[in-house]
Amino acid sequence: MMVLPIAYMAPKEWYRAYLAAPEEVEIEGLESFEKQTCRNRCTIGKGIMLSVPVKKVEHKQLTRDIEISYQSRWQHQHWISLVSAYKHTPYFDYYEEFFKPFYEKEYRFLWDFNSEIHETIMMLLKNLSPTLSSGDGEKFAYRCTADWRGEELNRFFGDGKSILDELFEYGPETTDHLR
């Protein structure tokens, strides 16, 4: 069994690990939220860092309970950054319609936002049946395990570049390219 932290447009290495054995993966939700990690940050294009702002985090607050802040126009900023970074890639025009809705709808919880992005990415990677389950009908399993701290994530996920770099460049061949 492999346990991965939930991630905002996760790094390609995260997806490489996930795709190696999706039926053996659980996505962590009962851990204490760590700021400044892939849970609410990603790096796209040529080093553009995007961060989903969250409301004040209480000590030892669970990742699944983190609320997104809408005090700034971060969704607009993120979408403009995505367009700028990827508009000239071979598959941006094709996949744009799948990602734009995430920057038009407000989500209360970071967990829900990231989970829906993950589902969309998995659909685009042609892996349509992720088998993550906690046995009670939940789509993603909540499991308390290792505390994923930033330095551990960097060692495991390499340069941390988002899967979007691969997806917009290789399109339907992304899964083969990752393997």
Side-chain angles (χ1 to χ4, degrees):
M1 170 90 45
M2 180 186 308
V3 180
L4 295 173
I6 191 76
Y8 174 47
M9 294 188 296
K12 60 187 175 188
E13 291 84 359
W14 189 101
Y15 277 97
R16 186 173 285 127
Y18 182 89
L19 290 169
E23 66 282 352
E24 296 179 18
V25 173
E26 287 191 16
I27 299 178
E28 182 68 77
L30 289 178
E31 64 178 345
S32 295
F33 180 77
E34 286 288 326
K35 294 180 181 179
Q36 301 182 11
T37 63
C38 69
R39 290 166 193 84
N40 70 318
R41 290 185 175 206
C42 70
T43 304
I44 63 167
K46 295 184 182 193
I48 300 168
M49 176 72 76
L50 302 178
S51 180
V52 177
V54 296
K55 292 184 178 178
K56 184 175 179 181
V57 177
E58 302 297 325
H59 180 67
K60 302 262 184 187
Q61 189 170 354
L62 299 180
T63 297
R64 70 174 182 188
D65 297 331
I66 298 300
E67 293 187 55
I68 297 174
S69 172
Y70 290 95
Q71 289 183 342
S72 68
R73 293 186 55 195
W74 69 268
Q75 288 176 296
H76 175 74
Q77 303 275 333
H78 285 213
W79 181 247
I80 296 300
S81 295
L82 288 171
V83 171
S84 176
Y86 299 121
K87 68 182 173 188
H88 297 298
T89 59
Y91 291 94
F92 181 76
D93 290 340
Y94 179 73
Y95 292 144
E96 172 183 16
E97 68 186 77
F98 293 101
F99 291 97
K100 188 166 186 172
F102 293 110
Y103 302 97
E104 298 172 335
K105 174 183 172 185
E106 287 190 11
Y107 292 78
R108 180 175 176 195
F109 294 103
L110 182 64
W111 175 267
D112 296 334
F113 179 64
N114 286 343
S115 295
E116 286 189 30
I117 290 174
H118 172 70
E119 289 173 10
T120 298
I121 290 170
M122 290 307 296
M123 179 199 60
L124 295 174
L125 292 175
K126 302 289 190 232
N127 188 348
L128 300 175
S129 56
T131 56
L132 303 177
S133 174
S134 61
D136 59 2
E138 290 289 325
K139 196 156 219 150
F140 294 103
Y142 296 132
R143 188 175 152 185
C144 193
T145 59
D147 200 8
W148 289 92
R149 301 204 181 274
E151 62 276 2
E152 293 168 0
L153 289 171
N154 290 342
R155 278 199 307 270
F156 187 76
F157 296 134
D159 67 4
K161 288 286 192 108
S162 173
I163 186 66
L164 296 185
D165 285 12
E166 303 288 314
L167 195 60
F168 290 136
E169 185 66 32
Y170 299 106
E173 297 175 6
T174 302
T175 302
D176 293 335
H177 189 260
L178 289 172
R179 291 182 177 156

